[in-house]
Amino acid sequence: MTPSPNATHPLAHPLAHPRSAPPTDPAGTPLLLLAPKVSETGLQLLTAARRRGLRAHTAPRWEVPAELAGIRPAHLYGGPLFADAVGRDLGLALLDAPADWLATLPYDLTRRRVEFTTLAEARRLRGPAFVKPPVDKVFAARVHPDGSALPGPDVLDDDTPVLVSEVVRFAREYRLFVLDGQVRTASRYAVDGDLDMAAEDEYGPEVAAFAADVLAGAGGLPSAVVVDVGLLADGAGWAVVEANAAWASGGYACDPEGILDVVLRAAGPETTLTDADRPYCRPLPTIVR
């Protein structure tokens, strides 16, 4: 279910504030470049960006098209590989949550024990745990019966960072696109572990209330980010699932206009980066072609 771009989002309404216009540059119209692999969210962002008057294009290859090179300000939407391939060429600062953010939260926000450690340490697990790479998806995040099934040193380095958490089951999960500590748009994306998208449901007020607690009390996040929260199946209440980069996150049933607001900040010009956001920038490699 895709909401009208002009609709007020029921889940986000208690936390919403007026949207901001994209950054402008007298030298030209802002560019939004999308990864070659087109997703439903990407198609929605193309439409939303063009409606605002941005130059919105899907890259045919994993590089900045020659005819778009030099257009500033620029923004992107795509996964980490695309970000690494074109981010420096576009002059971008790409914001992401710290790899250890979830492990720094108090128990009353996670409702489970979470440890930020290395893959070498996780391989020593002797019981079940949920293990995931916190930044790039170098292996599938899932519950492991112990550490023996994790990728070995012949596949991934021992010092690969991972999050190891106590196994819990979420009855419902929600995605929140956050800008300046406020939810711009939200969507349910799972029920009992299965994909089940909805722009609104009966838990909207509870989602908004818990999101307000998280964003007011947790700290340690950039100004533009995605936070997932969920309702635990055991009756223990609400908990943070994880946080991710807005420029690489699917929108599910979120309002595309709200997603675009967050993406434009999360993947924006390095020249407009604030001191507060500087610690959350993804290191970008120099690509030799």
Side-chain angles (χ1 to χ4, degrees):
M1 176 168 58
T2 302
S4 165
N6 296 318
T8 299
H9 198 290
L11 294 180
H13 176 68
L15 301 175
H17 68 247
R19 292 177 180 143
S20 58
T24 58
D25 188 312
T29 303
L31 168 69
L32 176 65
L33 188 64
L34 280 74
K37 185 178 180 180
V38 180
S39 65
E40 179 64 26
T41 302
L43 292 174
Q44 292 175 349
L45 288 179
L46 280 174
T47 300
R50 288 170 179 169
R51 186 183 296 118
R52 294 194 193 184
L54 277 69
R55 301 186 188 193
H57 297 270
T58 300
R61 294 176 298 279
W62 296 86
E63 61 186 22
V64 180
E67 66 273 18
L68 300 177
I71 293 179
R72 298 293 185 271
H75 309 265
L76 69 75
Y77 177 79
L81 291 177
F82 183 63
D84 287 349
V86 305
R88 187 178 288 272
D89 290 342
L90 291 174
L92 298 181
L94 299 170
L95 305 182
D96 200 356
D100 65 345
W101 181 73
L102 189 65
T104 67
L105 298 182
Y107 185 84
D108 61 350
L109 293 182
T110 63
R111 298 296 176 183
R112 63 199 186 280
R113 294 185 297 275
V114 183
E115 180 184 6
F116 180 68
T117 185
T118 64
L119 186 55
E121 288 298 319
R123 293 188 190 113
R124 298 189 177 97
L125 289 169
R126 293 296 177 261
F130 181 82
V131 185
K132 65 162 289 184
V135 184
D136 297 343
K137 313 304 181 186
V138 292
F139 64 88
R142 65 181 179 87
V143 175
H144 292 265
D146 55 45
S148 64
L150 289 166
D154 57 326
V155 178
L156 289 173
D157 293 339
D158 286 348
D159 60 357
T160 300
V162 294
L163 286 168
V164 178
S165 68
E166 183 181 3
V167 178
V168 295
R169 187 167 67 88
F170 286 95
R172 291 168 179 264
E173 295 169 73
Y174 299 81
R175 172 146 294 175
L176 317 173
F177 279 82
V178 177
L179 185 64
D180 293 325
Q182 304 287 321
V183 176
R184 281 297 174 97
T185 182
S187 164
R188 189 185 75 208
Y189 65 86
V191 175
D192 293 328
D194 296 324
L195 184 66
D196 191 337
M197 297 182 293
E200 56 183 288
D201 69 12
E202 66 274 26
Y203 289 90
E206 292 183 43
V207 175
F210 181 67
D213 289 343
V214 172
L215 297 175
L221 289 174
S223 66
V225 71
V226 161
V227 177
D228 293 345
V229 301
L231 180 64
L232 291 166
D234 62 2
W238 292 90
V240 176
V241 178
E242 61 183 359
N244 290 296
W247 44 265
S249 295
Y252 299 115
C254 287
D255 172 11
E257 293 284 348
I259 299 172
L260 183 59
D261 286 339
V262 181
V263 168
L264 291 176
R265 174 79 65 77
E270 196 278 335
T271 55
T272 63
L273 183 68
T274 65
D275 289 341
D277 274 335
R278 196 169 299 279
Y280 305 109
C281 288
R282 178 183 178 87
L284 294 174
T286 299
I287 305 298
V288 179
R289 294 187 172 91

